Amino acid sequence: ASQARSAEASQIYSSAAKVSAKGLGRTHDTTLDLEQGHADVLLALGKYAEATKIARGLVKRFRRLSKGRQPSSSKGLDTKSLRFARALDALAFGMMGSLLPGKQGAVSMPPESQLLEALHAREEAAEKYAAVFGSGSSQEISALRSSAELLQTQGRIEEAEARFGQALLVGGGAQSIDNLVADANINRKSKDLALALASTANNLGMLIRSTSLATRADEAETLLRHAVQGFQAASDAQDDVSVLRAQGNLADLLRARGRLVEALPLASGALKGMERMGPDARDDVLTARSNYALLLHASGRQVESEALYRQVLVASEALHGKKSVQATAARADLSELLRRLGRDTKKLGGKGTSEQQRSEL
């Protein structure tokens, strides 16, 4: 139903933008906003090539409009620069989306060229957001974080870490989250900032955890703790998916560090919170159950661990299919547990892909 509504919205935006361009001109604010809305909906539908084409056209028009224009001296919001930043954001998202597995070729450019264009768009968007909202805004931090995420997906880990660090730095560092948490009357702007900083701290912490756990575990833990606090400060909900995911990440790090007593209540709380969220959180529930099962195994609670792994397998097969990546990984985890316990695994069948969990069982 959601997909159908988005497709309908795409058609409405497209038709309205054409009418506006014809009647008001291609550089009129109404036309620009309608085309931006069309690009955003196309991105949500995964139509990256179409979205990229529209966004690139918007960026070209904004460049022409900005030539010779003096920066706004009024105290109000610089809407021109904000529109420019949003177009750059859409262009970057389109280029990034076309680099996803199964989407290559959606944009007729070599992958390296796509990556460079996406990174340049992200950097320019961050500059525009800083000009509009001031240095260290949640929008600037989010743009820089997104460029780091793109670098990470392309295996450019050192560059990604540096970009995550830059995103935190412009926001005052992860320690700024402490100040936001301490504010008893935190407003919406501060909550947005807490969310942007928490997302960056979480991603950087997880990156360090996956690449340098043996030498930088303390650093990763500090970042993940800040992430949990930041998400909590930003949230208005009892069960917030970002808070629960961050708690799960922290619990898994503590498990890897052998601090099981600390990890168990965090992992249990994250799982129960995900379960309370209902059908929309089904995949998160499966991840939380799998992580909790691994923690139970590490704690010597093998019967509970096996039961939970079996639940994950049954649910993964029902939700994604018996041959899905999710079911294959769940089968691998259960198979490895049974193998470690000296039990027969032939009835499970299939080969697994959950390399990290199997190596940590």
Side-chain angles (χ1 to χ4, degrees):
S2 177
Q3 195 83 349
R5 287 196 296 270
S6 294
E8 183 180 359
S10 174
Q11 293 176 352
I12 293 172
Y13 272 121
S14 178
S15 299
K18 290 175 182 176
V19 172
S20 180
K22 186 175 181 179
L24 301 174
R26 296 186 71 230
T27 58
H28 192 277
D29 287 351
T30 299
T31 305
L32 296 171
D33 286 345
L34 287 168
E35 289 193 23
Q36 180 68 55
H38 189 200
D40 290 341
V41 172
L42 288 170
L43 288 172
L45 289 168
K47 296 183 177 182
Y48 300 115
E50 296 175 57
T52 297
K53 183 178 179 180
I54 295 173
R56 188 178 281 119
L58 284 168
V59 167
K60 288 180 179 178
R61 266 175 278 167
F62 281 121
R63 290 201 195 287
R64 288 197 298 268
L65 290 169
S66 63
K67 283 184 178 179
R69 185 173 74 91
Q70 296 298 318
S72 176
S73 57
S74 67
K75 293 183 179 180
L77 201 64
D78 184 354
T79 56
K80 294 291 185 184
S81 293
L82 180 56
R83 285 189 174 96
F84 197 167
R86 289 184 62 206
L88 288 162
D89 256 343
L91 177 58
F93 270 121
M95 302 305 294
M96 291 164 65
S98 65
L99 290 169
L100 294 172
K103 295 292 183 180
Q104 287 88 348
V107 177
S108 57
M109 290 174 63
E112 186 62 27
S113 298
Q114 292 176 229
L115 176 63
L116 288 174
E117 183 171 4
L119 286 172
H120 289 157
R122 276 280 177 239
E123 290 167 357
E124 192 173 359
E127 292 172 3
K128 298 293 181 187
Y129 283 131
V132 174
F133 298 108
S135 180
S137 68
S138 61
Q139 294 85 351
E140 180 188 11
I141 294 168
S142 295
L144 290 170
R145 186 191 72 248
S146 293
S147 67
E149 291 168 350
L150 176 56
L151 288 165
Q152 185 177 356
T153 62
Q154 299 303 304
R156 296 165 62 167
I157 302 303
E158 291 184 3
E159 294 172 81
E161 184 178 332
R163 196 65 58 89
F164 278 131
Q166 180 187 359
L168 277 179
L169 186 62
V170 300
Q175 295 78 9
S176 295
I177 295 175
D178 295 336
N179 298 329
L180 294 168
V181 170
D183 185 356
N185 300 308
I186 186 170
N187 57 28
R188 184 69 262 169
K189 182 179 179 181
S190 294
K191 286 189 175 186
D192 290 343
L193 180 58
L195 178 62
L197 287 169
S199 299
T200 306
N202 178 76
N203 291 3
L204 180 54
M206 292 300 289
L207 177 63
I208 293 172
R209 185 243 190 276
S210 66
T211 60
S212 310
L213 179 61
T215 56
R216 301 170 64 187
D218 286 344
E219 183 180 354
E221 182 179 336
T222 298
L223 285 165
L224 292 179
R225 289 191 181 279
H226 276 119
V228 172
Q229 293 174 333
F231 284 130
Q232 288 173 334
S235 176
D236 297 317
Q238 177 186 359
D239 293 316
D240 182 277
V241 68
S242 295
V243 174
L244 297 171
R245 285 173 180 169
Q247 286 179 345
N249 291 339
L250 177 58
D252 194 56
L253 174 65
L254 293 172
R255 176 199 57 75
R257 301 193 73 181
R259 290 156 57 184
L260 306 181
V261 173
E262 295 175 70
L264 278 165
L266 276 173
S268 176
L271 173 56
K272 290 176 181 176
M274 292 293 187
E275 290 174 336
R276 285 193 296 267
M277 294 183 70
D280 289 342
R282 287 180 297 186
D283 281 318
D284 283 300
V285 169
L286 292 179
T287 299
R289 282 179 181 169
S290 183
N291 288 341
Y292 192 50
L294 180 60
L295 182 54
L296 290 172
H297 168 76
S299 303
R301 295 161 62 177
Q302 312 303 350
V303 174
E304 295 170 84
S305 177
E306 181 183 341
L308 204 51
Y309 271 133
R310 289 190 182 279
Q311 287 181 28
V312 173
L313 176 57
V314 170
S316 296
E317 290 179 341
L319 185 59
H320 298 290
K322 290 188 175 183
K323 295 184 179 180
S324 65
V325 172
Q326 294 86 348
T328 302
R331 195 174 297 112
D333 292 335
L334 177 56
S335 178
E336 180 63 15
L337 174 65
L338 295 177
R339 188 188 68 81
R340 297 273 178 122
L341 297 175
R343 304 258 299 282
D344 182 25
T345 64
K346 293 180 181 179
K347 292 182 180 179
L348 293 175
K351 294 183 178 180
T353 58
S354 184
E355 297 297 337
Q356 180 177 337
Q357 282 207 337
R358 294 211 315 277
S359 68
E360 293 180 347
L361 273 175

